[in-house]
Amino acid sequence: MVRVGVVGYGHLGQYMVKQIMDHPDLELAWVWNRSDIKGKVADHLILKDLNSCGDGNPDVIVEVAHPDISKQYGQLFLKHADYLMGSPTGLADRETEEKLKSAATQHGVYVPAGAFWGGEDIRKMSERGSLKGLTVTMKKHPSSFKLSGQLEELNKTVADKAVELYRGPVRGLCPLAPNNVNTMAAGAVAASNLGFDNTVGVLVSDPGLIDWHIVEVEVLGPPGPAGNQFTVRTQRMNPAAPGAVTGSATYASFFSSLLRVGGKGAGFHLC
């Protein structure tokens, strides 16, 4: 029986708690939330202080709250359990990335693949040194973005046609769109030889995408004898309600990632 602690009780957190409680091989150790959840979760399962995350002896701690959780508590979580990061955009912060790398010695940091298609193949290419380029493009309706800074202002100007809000290193994009680009962060983790600085993220605000979130992945490998380059392109169309930050298929995918946590030891793992 795998005991799971859940950090966050929003839409995804509520889904995860229900799935954990219904699964024969999982047991809920505790739930923590920033606001009061008394009456929503049994009193004995509510964790009041994340500094007490070892209570209930969790095997896995799942974060579905905010990237800052990893910065503040990630090292502590890894002293007690494997850690599944629901907000891997937090790894774009260099200090957080380095701290978790150094702390993941006994337990591992797991990053859900989510909407990132082909992650295992990209990981294999990265480990062989044959991955030469990775670009992840995310296209959503303007109302589906939660942005800050100049991207927020630019998104407000989108009217009747698609606008490219950003193109550049994923590390620079994550702090501006932490709720929207976890898929890109997963890509940067899979492409370990490229990382957050050399994985390219493209964010497109498209008013025509009322019912969909689209993720496009372009992978570049080594050039062939004639100079032509190995290339793979995929497009994932995820059904999503208007204004939804997370597509409907992502919930089930995230729970599937939880079922794959464990047994891989130290370091960072895509799941």
Side-chain angles (χ1 to χ4, degrees):
M1 186 70 71
V2 176
R3 294 180 58 77
V4 184
V6 178
V7 182
Y9 199 67
H11 293 302
L12 181 53
Q14 292 171 41
Y15 173 85
M16 292 298 289
V17 166
K18 184 180 186 305
Q19 294 300 313
I20 291 166
M21 296 183 75
D22 289 345
H23 198 282
D25 298 323
L26 301 178
E27 185 177 356
L28 189 64
W30 46 257
V31 182
W32 176 91
N33 195 54
R34 213 176 285 271
S35 57
D36 187 19
I37 53 175
K38 187 177 178 63
K40 300 177 181 179
V41 176
D43 288 352
H44 72 281
L45 292 175
I46 297 176
L47 185 72
K48 295 182 179 179
D49 185 352
L50 281 178
N51 288 301
S52 302
C53 61
D55 290 1
N57 299 313
D59 300 294
V60 182
I61 294 175
V62 180
E63 174 271 313
V64 283
H66 192 278
D68 285 349
I69 293 292
S70 294
K71 184 173 186 176
Q72 297 173 32
Y73 298 100
Q75 288 177 291
L76 179 60
F77 293 164
L78 286 164
K79 289 182 179 181
H80 299 282
D82 288 320
Y83 180 36
L84 177 59
M85 291 184 67
S87 306
T89 51
L91 293 172
D93 178 76
R94 293 181 191 275
E95 182 182 358
T96 301
E97 184 181 21
E98 291 305 316
K99 282 183 176 180
L100 293 189
K101 279 182 180 179
S102 64
T105 55
Q106 180 179 358
H107 300 289
V109 176
Y110 290 79
V111 174
F116 185 66
W117 202 256
E120 289 298 330
D121 292 310
I122 291 168
R123 183 79 165 191
K124 291 174 185 177
M125 289 181 65
S126 177
E127 291 171 348
R128 293 196 305 268
S130 62
L131 181 65
K132 303 303 180 184
L134 175 64
T135 299
V136 183
T137 301
M138 300 186 71
K139 302 176 180 179
K140 298 183 180 183
H141 189 272
S143 64
S144 292
F145 287 115
K146 288 187 176 180
L147 307 171
S148 62
Q150 60 188 27
L151 293 192
E152 182 181 18
E153 296 306 313
L154 181 56
N155 191 46
K156 290 177 181 178
T157 68
V158 177
D160 56 356
K161 62 180 180 179
V163 174
E164 184 175 288
L165 303 179
Y166 180 93
R167 179 183 293 269
V170 169
R171 192 181 299 278
L173 176 57
C174 287
L176 299 174
N179 299 106
N180 288 112
V181 297
N182 284 305
T183 296
M184 294 184 185
V189 171
S192 56
N193 65 324
L194 301 177
F196 283 81
D197 292 307
N198 294 304
T199 298
V200 176
V202 180
L203 203 64
V204 177
S205 182
D206 186 346
L209 293 177
I210 298 174
D211 301 315
W212 300 96
H213 293 171
I214 295 177
V215 179
E216 298 171 347
V217 178
E218 181 181 70
V219 179
L220 298 179
N228 50 330
Q229 193 164 23
F230 174 90
T231 305
V232 177
R233 296 186 181 92
T234 64
Q235 183 185 70
R236 183 180 193 268
M237 298 183 67
N238 189 0
V245 174
T246 303
S248 58
T250 302
Y251 287 77
S253 174
F254 191 90
F255 182 69
S256 295
S257 293
L258 171 61
L259 297 177
R260 298 182 65 199
V261 171
K264 295 185 179 180
F268 285 27
H269 311 286
L270 199 68
C271 63

